Every structure is written in C-alpha cells, then in structure tokens.
Amino acid sequence: MSTSYLEHGTAAERWERAGLFFEAKEYATAARILEPLAAGAPEQLAPRLLLARAYYHSAQLSRAERELRAILERWPVEDYAQLLLGRTLERGGRAAEARPYLRMAAAMAGEFED
C-alpha cells in the first residue's frame, strides 16, 4: 500500500482514517498512520493510546510497551494504559513484571482482591 495515501490530508482526516483501519483490524496500517500523529501531538492522549493498542494488536509488543510506558509517565492514572501494559508484558512472557500493572488497573476500576 502506498504510504502517500496514509499521510494525505489534515490531522483530523488522518485520525479518522487510522480509526477506520483499526476498526477493520488492519492494526499495522493504523499504526503507520498514527505514528506521525502521536509524535506531532505528544500532549494528546487519544492518538498515543490508539497507537499503543494498534501495536499490541499487531504483535509489535516492544513498541506497545515503549508507548505505554511513555503514556504512563505523562498520565500515571490512565487505567487502560495500566491494563494494556500489563497485558503486553504478559503476552511477551513477562507475567511477573505484568502483575503490578494489572493490579493497579484493577484497583483503579474498583476491583479489589479479597
């Protein structure tokens, strides 16, 4: 697929296009569209979180981890990022590292262990 199409249009048009690719389960393509959007607006959570999700679903786990850690550095109370980082680490065979993030996500959601 030509990358010029992916890069064409305003940021809003590219955001919408990325969402369409994500919904179509074309996660790697969605990530390619989202990368420059997230880099161009690091203060915006939505593109960065969708980029992390696209990386996760396209099995780009190291990229997902890197993006999620950056998100949590800026937004430490972002419960979905906590959960997704935990799931990313689990999927990468790092269950022990995942536990604190999964516990934090559960606590933020009001789910406490007995």
Side-chain angles (χ1 to χ4, degrees):
M1 175 179 297
S2 169
T3 58
S4 63
Y5 166 74
L6 302 177
E7 298 165 357
H8 179 74
T10 66
E13 290 167 336
R14 288 179 283 142
W15 169 253
E16 184 177 345
R17 187 175 306 120
L20 292 172
F21 278 103
F22 189 90
E23 289 175 19
K25 299 183 187 322
E26 295 287 337
Y27 302 116
T29 302
R32 285 200 313 265
I33 297 167
L34 289 162
E35 285 166 350
L37 287 173
E43 73 285 355
Q44 292 185 8
L45 175 61
R48 296 185 75 183
L49 195 52
L50 190 59
L51 175 58
R53 292 176 63 203
Y55 284 150
Y56 174 82
H57 288 297
S58 61
Q60 297 179 64
L61 301 181
S62 62
R63 288 180 174 180
E65 179 183 354
R66 186 173 50 246
E67 190 63 32
L68 290 161
R69 288 188 187 280
I71 288 169
L72 289 172
E73 186 174 306
R74 189 172 193 131
W75 296 279
V77 296
E78 177 53 48
D79 61 330
Y80 187 73
Q82 296 276 352
L83 175 65
L84 191 55
L85 180 53
R87 296 285 180 235
T88 299
L89 293 169
E90 271 185 336
R91 191 171 173 191
R94 297 159 57 192
E97 286 180 66
R99 271 188 222 101
Y101 296 100
L102 296 174
R103 276 193 296 244
M104 180 65 75
M108 290 175 151
E111 301 167 5
F112 300 99
E113 295 180 16
D114 293 332

